[in-house]
Amino acid sequence: MKYTEEHEWLRADGDVYVVGITEHATTQLGDLVFVELPDVGASVSKDDEIVVIESVKAASDIMAPVDGEITEVNTDLADDPSLANSDPLGKGWFFKIKPSDTSQLDGLMDEAAYNALIG
Amino acid sequence: MSDLRQTPLHALHLSMGAKMVPFAGYDMPVQYGLGVMKEHLHTRAKAGLFDVSHMGQVIVLGNTFAAAARGLEGLIPVDILGLGLNRQRYGFFTNDAGGIDDDLMLANRGDHVFVVVNAACKTADIARMKAALEPAVTVTEITDRALLALQGPASEQVLATLDARAAHMAFMDVATLSLNGVEAWVSRSGYTGEDGYEISVPADAAEALARTLLDHPDVEAIGLGARDSLRLEAGLCLYGHDIDTTTSPVEAGLTWAIQKTRRGGGDRSGGFPGSAKILHQIENGASRKRVGLLPEGRAPMRDSVPLFDAEDSADPIGTITSGGFGPTVGGPVAMGYVATQHATAGTTLYGELRGKRLPLTVTKLPFTPANFKR
């Protein structure tokens, strides 16, 4: 697993990466009630705001962790945003991305570095 | 170093693991362990305990109740003189432009009027009352009492275990009860659309009373997050969002709070700031109105989202002033102001969200039926 400073996790799945948000993030956000996912096939750039998530109280954005193409999105999550709260590392995944520049992955954190970040 | 103020229940909030946020100058609990969604649903199902000690509690005292009431009627377009003993009414301070400077609750407690005002406005409200009423009538902020709200259908049963007289109060009654051996000034009212009570108790007795109430199996601590979603579903205005210095009571749909005796032709017609404009609007209508808005999709639409009458029209016809997810409704809910010709229930409008126009339907308020003990 790799992590971003924006509290996303990335898990390799063949030549694509599955992306979600960490338990720390969902705890901070509270109960999610709405998720808007990107279009499958979209080309995105690192730091583009590609997902909108809303908790009962507030809206926030999730940014693309790397440049790449969106290969799949979790439609179950759009139907039931609470999956991100109940199973953030599993059924609560957001999208899969095929990186166009795998060297960008080197700049991401490993689990130890992420745990140090969130204290 | 924080200069946020603390309520008498601050240590209790911390001990329960509340997530604290700054609100109106106070360090307040936005949610506890249950989270906003479950806290909201629990309040509608059983009972929730809220700390609202940040709000202003004020005693307005004249030689007689009538003297204090008449003085306040010069600031507030409500029949205060006709308020029965131990009864409460909703009201608001108006300004010369016919807008609302704060909303409040007024109670006839025998020799005085007990006023509860919003935390963010309380300094200005108290200064306004002092300037207008003193020295004939005195205006005293009560700073040594906490204010708790117990809300939800189980509230009566819970509070009656401490003082059986709680069960005999009707909606908008006030009474002095003895709770845990301390004198409590109680009203049967609240800000959730549910039955319930607001309870003013001495600050040094507040934590013990809160713990006693929380020990009841039906009661959970509820934060400001659920307080906001509960009042939004109930169609109740939040000052600074749904009503402010630029919205008139008529535009806000609060004409019901201005009794006939204060309207045109009434015995004590007018005599409050902005009365000419407000009474004219009561007779002739206003050009915009506050309405409920039900987004058709799942996306919440919040404060400041512009509203259009068509997907491709150029100019907005209104704005959302409060919006979010309604846990009881099970979807997004909102309210806002629209031009009067678009205010009929059933009208489809469009909110512009992240560059897209999404449909919503003008809907009668409240979104969830009121559950008061009449």
Side-chain angles (χ1 to χ4, degrees):
Chain A
M1 293 271 262
K2 291 184 176 293
Y3 297 86
T4 72
E5 288 175 7
E6 306 295 328
H7 307 285
E8 294 155 278
W9 55 259
L10 293 82
R11 185 174 61 228
D13 178 15
D15 60 349
V16 304
Y17 282 80
V18 188
V19 181
I21 59 175
T22 65
E23 185 168 0
H24 174 80
T26 61
T27 303
Q28 293 296 313
L29 290 164
D31 303 307
L32 294 193
V33 297
F34 176 74
V35 176
E36 188 175 83
L37 297 165
D39 294 330
V40 173
S43 283
V44 300
S45 302
K46 183 176 181 329
D47 296 340
D48 285 354
E49 292 165 354
I50 60 170
V51 175
V52 175
I53 55 176
E54 303 218 16
S55 67
V56 179
K57 199 66 189 146
S60 18
D61 297 304
I62 292 182
M63 298 189 291
V66 292
D67 299 348
E69 181 190 335
I70 303 297
T71 61
E72 193 178 341
V73 298
N74 185 358
T75 54
D76 289 346
L77 181 69
D79 290 338
D80 180 6
S82 73
L83 291 173
N85 295 103
S86 58
D87 191 7
L89 305 182
K91 290 178 185 161
W93 65 276
F94 280 73
F95 57 84
K96 295 181 184 177
I97 187 167
K98 184 173 183 182
S100 54
D101 174 6
T102 51
S103 73
Q104 288 178 339
L105 294 160
D106 299 338
L108 301 178
M109 285 176 280
D110 62 14
E111 185 163 356
Y114 180 71
N115 286 339
L117 174 77
I118 63 175
Chain B
M1 188 62 196
S2 164
D3 55 3
L4 290 173
R5 299 171 72 178
Q6 299 179 354
T7 75
L9 296 182
H10 190 263
L12 179 63
H13 301 317
L14 297 183
S15 76
M16 289 192 292
K19 182 174 173 189
M20 306 297 285
V21 296
F23 183 83
Y26 284 80
D27 192 33
M28 295 297 288
V30 67
Q31 65 176 72
Y32 300 86
L34 284 181
V36 177
M37 189 94 79
K38 287 188 178 126
E39 289 173 25
H40 175 117
L41 295 171
H42 182 89
T43 304
R44 292 239 188 275
K46 291 181 176 172
L49 184 68
F50 303 74
D51 180 12
V52 289
S53 305
H54 56 312
M55 298 184 76
Q57 305 180 61
V58 185
I59 283 180
V60 181
L61 178 69
N63 287 331
T64 59
F65 172 80
R70 282 185 192 280
L72 287 170
E73 284 195 2
L75 302 173
I76 299 167
V78 169
D79 176 10
I80 307 170
L81 200 55
L83 187 54
L85 178 65
N86 294 327
R87 293 286 295 161
Q88 188 180 45
R89 266 184 182 147
Y90 175 74
F92 27 79
F93 292 115
T94 51
N95 60 37
D96 289 337
I100 299 174
D101 281 356
D102 194 13
D103 64 341
L104 49 87
M105 296 296 273
L106 301 151
N108 176 347
R109 286 187 42 86
D111 66 341
H112 66 271
V113 185
F114 184 59
V115 185
V116 178
V117 298
N118 282 304
C121 304
K122 66 183 174 184
T123 305
D125 292 344
I126 290 161
R128 168 189 311 240
M129 288 189 280
K130 282 181 181 285
L133 304 183
E134 288 188 341
V137 170
T138 59
V139 175
T140 309
E141 183 182 7
I142 305 303
T143 55
D144 59 355
R145 295 181 82 90
L147 192 65
L148 313 184
L150 182 66
Q151 299 279 297
S155 299
E156 176 184 288
Q157 184 215 327
V158 170
L159 202 60
T161 62
L162 301 183
D163 187 330
R165 291 172 291 181
H168 304 301
M169 299 171 68
F171 180 57
M172 300 296 255
D173 276 354
V174 298
T176 301
L177 302 184
S178 176
L179 304 176
N180 263 2
V182 299
E183 181 183 292
W185 308 340
V186 179
S187 67
R188 192 150 195 175
S189 56
Y191 192 48
T192 58
E194 297 297 326
D195 185 20
Y197 303 85
E198 292 197 343
I199 304 162
S200 171
V201 286
D204 58 7
E207 183 173 331
L209 177 61
R211 286 188 186 277
T212 300
L213 293 168
L214 289 167
D215 279 345
H216 193 289
D218 285 350
V219 181
E220 294 285 350
I222 311 296
L224 293 178
R227 183 169 162 84
D228 189 54
S229 56
L230 287 158
R231 69 89 198 166
L232 174 59
E233 284 184 341
L236 299 170
C237 291
L238 174 60
Y239 190 77
H241 291 256
D242 310 302
I243 47 176
D244 62 27
T245 57
T246 70
T247 59
S248 81
V250 181
E251 293 167 347
L254 299 174
T255 307
W256 59 267
I258 305 174
Q259 286 78 21
K260 289 219 162 57
T261 190
R262 305 301 311 277
R263 299 187 194 176
D267 286 348
R268 298 191 311 288
S269 174
F272 52 85
S275 60
K277 180 177 175 186
I278 292 168
L279 297 185
H280 182 268
Q281 282 190 351
I282 290 176
E283 295 296 322
N284 301 289
S287 60
R288 61 176 183 163
K289 282 179 77 174
R290 181 174 64 94
V291 296
L293 297 158
L294 209 51
E296 286 179 17
R298 291 187 61 102
M301 291 195 231
R302 300 179 194 270
D303 188 5
S304 308
V305 168
L307 298 168
F308 297 85
D309 64 351
E311 279 187 274
D312 56 356
S313 53
D315 297 319
I317 53 86
T319 311
I320 289 178
T321 50
S322 277
F325 185 83
T328 303
V329 170
V333 290
M335 58 171 114
Y337 284 82
V338 300
T340 301
Q341 65 266 34
H342 303 292
T344 310
T347 304
T348 300
L349 299 174
Y350 296 85
E352 192 165 285
L353 195 65
R354 299 181 279 268
K356 285 183 231 163
R357 293 211 184 160
L358 303 173
L360 26 71
T361 306
V362 176
T363 305
K364 208 168 143 32
L365 293 170
F367 294 107
T368 51
N371 184 22
F372 302 135
K373 168 104 176 217
R374 299 280 186 187

